[in-house]
Amino acid sequence: IADLPPASVVIVSWNGQGHLEPCLASLAASDYPADRLEIVVVDNGSTDRTVDWIARTHPTARVVPLTTNQGFTGGNAAGVAVATGDVLVFFNNDMRVEPDAVRRLVVAAADGTTCAAARVLSWDGRAIDFLRGTISFEARGFQDYYGEPVTLDRSRATDTFFPNGGAFAVTREAYQRAGGFDDAFFAYYDDVDLGWRLRLVGLDMRVEDTAVVYHRHGATSRTQPAGQKRFLMERNALWTLIKNYGEATLRRTLGPVLLLATRRLLDEARIDERAAVLARFAPFSRRVSAAPTFDALYPTGGESATARSGDRLLLGLPAESLAAIGAVIETLSDTAVTRRTIQAARRVGERDVLPHFGRAFEGISSFASYRPIQEALIAALDLPRVFTPRSRLLIVSHEAIATNMSGPAVRFLEIGRALSKVARVTLAMPGVPGLRDARITIAGFDPAHPASLRRLAEDADVIFVQGFALVQYPFLAALLVPIVVDLYCPFTIEHLEQTRGRVAAGDPALNADAAGFLGVLNAQIDQGDFFICASEVQRDFWIGALHSRGRINPRTYADDPTLRRLIDVVPFGLPDEDFDAAAAALPPVLKGVRPGIGATDTVLLWGGSLLDWQDPVTLIEAVAALALRRPDVKLVFMGTKHPNPLVKPMRAVAASRERAAALGIVDRHVFFNDWVPYTERARYLAEADLGVSTHREHLETHFAFRTRMLDYLWARLPIVCTDGDVFARLVRSEGFGATVPPGDAAALADAIDRLLGDVAARASARAALGRFGRELQWSRVVAPLVRFLDAPAIAADHAVGLARVRADLQGGYRLSKWLKRTALRAGVTERRVEQLKRLGVVRGLMIIRNRVALARAMRRSR
């Protein structure tokens, strides 16, 4: 609280006295320090005595009375002119805010690198008003999920192209650098325009979903003259793109935008096809059946045939749209001046802006003939190359994304973060998310009722899965989008190692269990389009599995003989964050802090959890022997209690505790920790002297990729480990430390003792770890996924079936098409038909229809 900067809330009102009471009352209840929060209300020439009412009921609010209605943009300009805060917070007058909303918005925006938008809900809190803003290449703004119920999957969002103009915060310096709201806009798309310009000067844009406000949507706009909203939106969208596009992009897009605007005018103009004048054009139009004579087409005499007959050709015309285009043309010279100022102030290129549009090629018109024309223009001008839209990636996690995370959850989170620059990433997890991240959206879902996961999947361009996801949620594989399967964890082999003891016991269910695990793996292999694994050794193994399942076939081999387009290596990575800085920001946790560990003791660190296919017992025995020579040696196991309560403790945990207790070294030389939060692990690593990892000799070891070793690399922590896996070979070849034979406690104790006693060897290991670690940063190791997301594609052998599905769908929806044709013949306009389709009940029926049609087409394609 003490560090919060002075902030000004700016509210614009026009005849909105009835709305202001809940708005100002909620702000009065804000937890922001009153001496640092200024409330500025701009009255736009109201006639409802708003100014007197505020003076009487809210005397601490600063009122700026205007004599005329200057609109949302002019009103905000007047408010900012008198505001004194370092951070500007904008609220509509028909909103009420949660007590912490102002504070959360200001904190998110106060460093001047981010514009923070609030999460806006309907007045009753049941539906979404604003969660994410996206735009098309025609500068038309969209509020994603508007009107949808608030559910677990629709409660979080981070990325947005623009803030909701009625609920956001930005520093004064950034606001002024971007030029502020454009006074000429009056209202509508002013936030799209400002958000675009804030991006041009280098600001990020995100939704601070913990800042919640409630909105009476349209309360003010409904009082405006009919047609005004459409005029302003059409005009302001054109102004926005003319001002903000770079030179090359504007040259490429302005023509198509104007052509499409003209097409929408023609589509919505109502023409009397029975008018006699049209008969003259019958030879040139299929819509007119009469064939006029030459004399009828070119009549003689001074008065035209149209005037003589009194025909009225145009029965209706969207005059607002026509006037908007005219207004843009008339003001081109002024707009050009504004454009030069904006382009001179820009600090980032188009590549840092255009991919964030979100819905670059969204159709605006609902007319059936419009979409093919739009698509033809987009293709002819190769606009996808200009906008390089980011793929929408859905990562499905089976583990919680929270403070305490196991290896798979960490991998999901870090891959999502690393890909956020090239994709719009949503990370879905069971339950309520325990973390927020400015780079990605972390959304929850209920595994027992996964409708919310299905909604997230239907909004994705690519789905990323691991483990049992495709079996648990079969609808994921039924969508016509590429599926990336992460094979980094060979769970079938882990299961074999974990169940070895059941063979001697004659467990009758053993074979069925193993077959079930193998069936899950085979389903992944059959359904995936692109596969990743952790090492080249793993890749060799998985290529064999893919070949035996028929996925390496003439089509996939012809597509890429190296098979890198089918399966590639994405190892567990290292944070790009500097380790020393991360560790320095945390307080000491072990040396001189934890009972039993002295300030000068030597710490051996076992990163991660204790698993049955590892061998912590041999390490404990080695430490017991070593303690006789080195009484200061202390072994710390970072995690013995899995963060997922559904995961049963493995036998290795109890066996390790029992062996340490039998040797009398628990809490003297061996320490068991429950779990270390992911963000706090750097401190444990910083206080360690060696990183250790031991395992037995078996198949799992050969194919394993020990994620704890990546933390040792990040911390430049010399390593002692058992030989036999990928990392042991690196330790030996790169000079990271020492390796020992499996199960040899004496050799292990000697190796630890030698490395601890050799200062030069440890320094050399640290230097080698530092050099090698840079190559394994998350931003680097995800390169194969970056390439895939640049052009997501169904696997070559799946593409044939997909073509059949799409062909089947093209011939589908016969009932829907018949209903639309019947309505049009009955005189219902196409515009009205499309409005009916947006009704909640109709939209729900259409979703069901689409799912049924897709499922039927998928069955027929098999």
Side-chain angles (χ1 to χ4, degrees):
I1 295 292
D3 295 332
L4 291 173
S8 295
V9 172
V10 180
I11 302 167
V12 176
S13 184
W14 178 73
N15 289 331
Q17 179 181 323
H19 301 312
L20 278 171
E21 174 53 36
C23 179
L24 294 177
S26 65
L27 285 169
S30 172
D31 64 6
Y32 208 89
D35 62 335
R36 272 168 277 171
L37 184 63
E38 174 187 48
I39 309 297
V40 178
V41 180
V42 180
D43 182 71
N44 249 334
S46 298
T47 57
D48 63 354
R49 303 185 66 82
T50 294
V51 174
D52 295 339
W53 176 82
I54 294 175
R56 222 175 34 251
T57 59
H58 295 277
T60 59
R62 184 174 184 181
V63 181
V64 181
L66 302 179
T67 57
T68 59
N69 185 355
Q70 298 183 23
F72 180 79
T73 55
N76 273 311
V80 170
V82 303
T84 60
D86 296 336
V87 178
L88 302 172
V89 185
F90 297 90
F91 286 130
N92 280 352
N93 67 342
D94 53 358
M95 289 186 173
R96 74 176 193 276
V97 308
E98 288 288 349
D100 60 351
V102 173
R103 173 172 53 83
R104 292 185 180 279
L105 285 174
V106 171
V107 169
D111 65 356
T113 64
T114 301
C115 174
R119 178 160 66 104
V120 186
L121 305 181
S122 60
W123 194 250
D124 60 8
R126 296 179 180 177
I128 295 166
D129 188 290
F130 184 88
L131 189 61
R132 173 188 288 138
T134 52
I135 72 169
S136 72
F137 82 97
E138 297 179 73
R140 295 304 187 92
F142 307 97
Q143 293 181 206
D144 290 3
Y145 317 125
Y146 172 77
E148 294 188 15
V150 176
T151 55
L152 197 56
D153 58 305
R154 297 287 193 251
S155 62
R156 298 282 182 87
T158 53
D159 65 314
T160 185
F161 186 78
F162 61 90
N164 181 325
F168 76 99
V170 63
T171 63
R172 175 186 294 276
E173 188 276 332
Y175 179 84
Q176 292 176 339
R177 184 154 40 98
F181 283 115
D182 189 329
D183 293 359
F185 273 50
F186 193 83
Y188 301 113
Y189 290 165
D190 41 77
D191 46 8
V192 174
D193 174 57
L194 178 60
W196 196 335
R197 286 184 282 113
L198 286 167
R199 285 183 174 276
L200 290 180
V201 297
L203 256 71
D204 288 330
M205 211 75 48
R206 70 183 179 93
V207 173
E208 179 54 53
D209 57 74
T210 61
V212 179
V213 305
Y214 306 89
H215 186 208
R216 296 184 194 271
H217 192 91
T220 301
S221 62
R222 282 194 292 269
T223 66
Q224 303 302 304
Q228 176 178 288
K229 180 176 180 179
R230 179 166 181 167
F231 168 78
L232 292 173
M233 293 177 76
E234 295 266 7
R235 182 196 67 181
N236 294 352
L238 286 169
W239 272 349
T240 296
L241 66 88
I242 292 172
K243 292 192 305 176
N244 298 324
Y245 271 136
E247 184 70 24
T249 311
L250 182 61
R251 288 179 181 275
R252 203 160 186 170
T253 57
L254 185 56
V257 169
L258 293 174
L259 280 172
L260 290 171
T262 304
R263 176 67 201 192
R264 289 193 297 274
L265 276 171
L266 294 174
D267 281 340
E268 296 189 44
R270 290 190 297 124
I271 300 174
D272 184 359
E273 296 189 12
R274 294 171 296 180
V277 66
L278 283 182
R280 304 170 193 164
F281 301 99
F284 315 108
S285 173
R286 296 178 182 177
R287 295 177 62 186
V288 183
S289 56
T293 63
F294 182 85
D295 290 338
L297 187 60
Y298 299 105
T300 59
E303 189 179 16
S304 71
T306 305
R308 286 198 307 272
S309 66
D311 283 339
R312 186 183 176 197
L313 182 59
L314 288 175
L315 301 179
L317 183 71
E320 302 91 349
S321 298
L322 193 61
I325 296 173
V328 171
I329 294 172
E330 289 176 4
T331 57
L332 271 178
S333 59
D334 293 335
T335 308
V337 173
T338 306
R339 171 181 168 76
R340 284 194 290 272
T341 302
I342 292 169
Q343 297 303 317
R346 74 183 295 161
R347 294 293 177 268
V348 300
E350 296 288 72
R351 289 185 179 180
D352 296 313
V353 177
L354 304 185
H356 294 272
F357 274 26
R359 295 165 74 174
F361 304 121
E362 186 79 8
I364 297 173
S365 172
S366 60
F367 283 80
S369 60
Y370 180 83
R371 187 63 180 170
I373 295 170
Q374 183 192 39
E375 290 175 349
L377 279 170
I378 290 169
L381 295 166
D382 198 14
L383 293 185
R385 184 186 296 275
V386 177
F387 288 88
T388 56
R390 297 190 303 162
S391 296
R392 294 168 296 176
L393 172 65
L394 175 67
I395 301 176
V396 182
S397 171
H398 57 277
E399 295 282 358
I401 308 301
T403 303
N404 291 342
M405 292 184 288
S406 62
V410 171
R411 182 169 170 85
F412 293 136
L413 177 63
E414 294 292 3
I415 284 178
R417 286 170 169 171
L419 293 175
S420 63
K421 293 182 179 180
V422 297
R424 197 176 81 192
V425 180
T426 298
L427 173 50
M429 54 146 284
V432 179
L435 288 181
R436 287 179 171 82
D437 194 280
R439 290 157 285 188
I440 64 175
T441 298
I442 304 175
F445 68 90
D446 182 355
H449 304 283
S452 54
L453 177 61
R454 183 168 192 153
R455 286 193 294 270
L456 291 171
E458 289 174 340
D459 190 43
D461 298 316
V462 178
I463 297 174
F464 180 106
V465 298
Q466 185 192 107
F468 287 64
L470 295 179
V471 172
Q472 289 176 304
Y473 313 112
F475 55 82
L476 295 174
L479 301 173
L480 303 182
V481 296
I483 296 175
V484 177
V485 176
D486 185 7
L487 299 171
Y488 111 98
C489 181
F491 61 87
T492 53
I493 299 176
E494 291 179 350
H495 180 259
L496 292 174
E497 179 60 29
Q498 195 173 5
T499 56
R500 269 201 300 170
R502 292 167 59 187
V503 174
D507 188 338
L510 189 60
N511 286 341
D513 286 353
F517 273 74
L518 189 60
V520 171
L521 173 63
N522 287 337
Q524 284 187 325
I525 290 175
D526 292 345
Q527 295 168 338
D529 294 291
F530 181 58
F531 302 87
I532 61 172
C533 56
S535 67
E536 291 294 339
V537 173
Q538 280 192 1
R539 184 171 183 267
D540 289 343
F541 173 76
W542 292 122
I543 283 176
L546 287 163
H547 191 250
S548 68
R549 293 296 298 178
R551 294 305 310 281
I552 297 176
N553 51 54
R555 284 193 172 90
T556 53
Y557 189 79
D559 184 55
D560 175 18
T562 71
L563 297 178
R564 294 285 173 184
R565 286 166 56 88
L566 182 65
I567 179 168
D568 212 335
V569 176
V570 177
F572 213 92
L574 306 181
D576 288 33
E577 179 186 12
D578 179 69
F579 171 78
D580 293 330
L586 298 167
V589 290
L590 294 175
K591 294 185 177 182
V593 177
R594 180 156 184 163
I597 302 178
T600 60
D601 282 349
T602 300
V603 173
L604 312 179
L605 190 68
W606 176 285
S609 56
L610 291 169
L611 304 171
D612 286 351
W613 44 88
Q614 297 163 350
D615 184 18
V617 170
T618 296
L619 176 60
I620 290 168
E621 291 172 347
V623 167
L626 184 60
L628 299 176
R629 288 174 269 171
R630 288 182 173 271
D632 66 331
V633 70
K634 307 296 168 74
L635 169 63
V636 177
F637 289 100
M638 282 179 65
T640 60
K641 186 177 181 181
H642 199 283
N644 186 346
L646 299 178
V647 175
K648 296 179 180 178
M650 293 200 175
R651 295 191 312 272
V653 177
S656 298
R657 290 184 181 275
E658 290 168 5
R659 187 57 180 148
L663 293 169
I665 55 175
V666 174
D667 292 336
R668 292 178 56 240
H669 295 283
V670 176
F671 299 82
F672 295 94
N673 198 62
D674 282 348
W675 202 267
V676 173
Y678 181 58
T679 55
E680 297 176 18
R681 74 198 189 286
R683 191 65 219 179
Y684 286 78
L685 292 160
E687 295 186 45
D689 296 281
L690 292 181
V692 289
S693 180
T694 51
H695 45 252
R696 293 183 292 274
E697 186 176 11
H698 46 60
L699 189 63
E700 191 278 337
T701 293
H702 181 70
F703 291 111
F705 195 86
R706 309 288 182 209
T707 57
R708 75 199 65 225
M709 304 294 244
L710 275 300
D711 275 344
Y712 301 160
L713 269 172
W714 183 42
R716 302 184 301 279
L717 187 61
I719 300 168
V720 176
C721 64
T722 309
D723 217 339
D725 67 358
V726 170
F727 262 110
R729 290 192 282 278
L730 281 173
V731 170
R732 193 170 54 250
S733 63
E734 301 292 333
F736 296 161
T739 63
V740 296
D744 192 334
L748 183 58
D750 288 344
I752 294 171
D753 192 23
R754 284 196 305 274
L755 195 54
L756 289 175
D758 192 336
V759 175
R762 291 206 309 278
S764 175
R766 287 184 181 277
L769 286 159
R771 289 191 298 271
F772 191 83
R774 285 189 289 273
E775 299 302 316
L776 286 178
Q777 290 177 336
W778 281 113
S779 58
R780 294 172 182 253
V781 300
V782 297
L785 286 170
V786 171
R787 287 194 293 272
F788 182 79
L789 291 171
D790 185 51
I794 299 291
D797 55 338
H798 285 170
V800 177
L802 178 63
R804 287 198 294 266
V805 170
R806 286 178 171 160
D808 193 281
L809 287 173
Q810 287 290 332
Y813 307 127
R814 292 185 178 87
L815 177 60
S816 300
K817 293 175 180 177
W818 178 83
L819 287 171
K820 184 172 182 178
R821 285 197 304 271
T822 303
L824 293 174
R825 287 169 183 164
V828 180
T829 66
E830 188 164 3
R831 185 181 184 87
R832 178 64 65 182
V833 170
E834 294 301 326
Q835 287 174 340
L836 289 171
K837 286 165 64 175
R838 288 196 289 271
L839 293 175
V841 174
V842 178
R843 193 168 59 221
L845 291 172
M846 289 172 62
I847 291 172
I848 295 172
R849 175 208 65 179
N850 293 341
R851 289 174 178 172
V852 170
L854 179 57
R856 184 184 296 120
M858 295 283 283
R859 285 196 300 270
R860 289 172 179 168
S861 71
R862 295 190 182 111

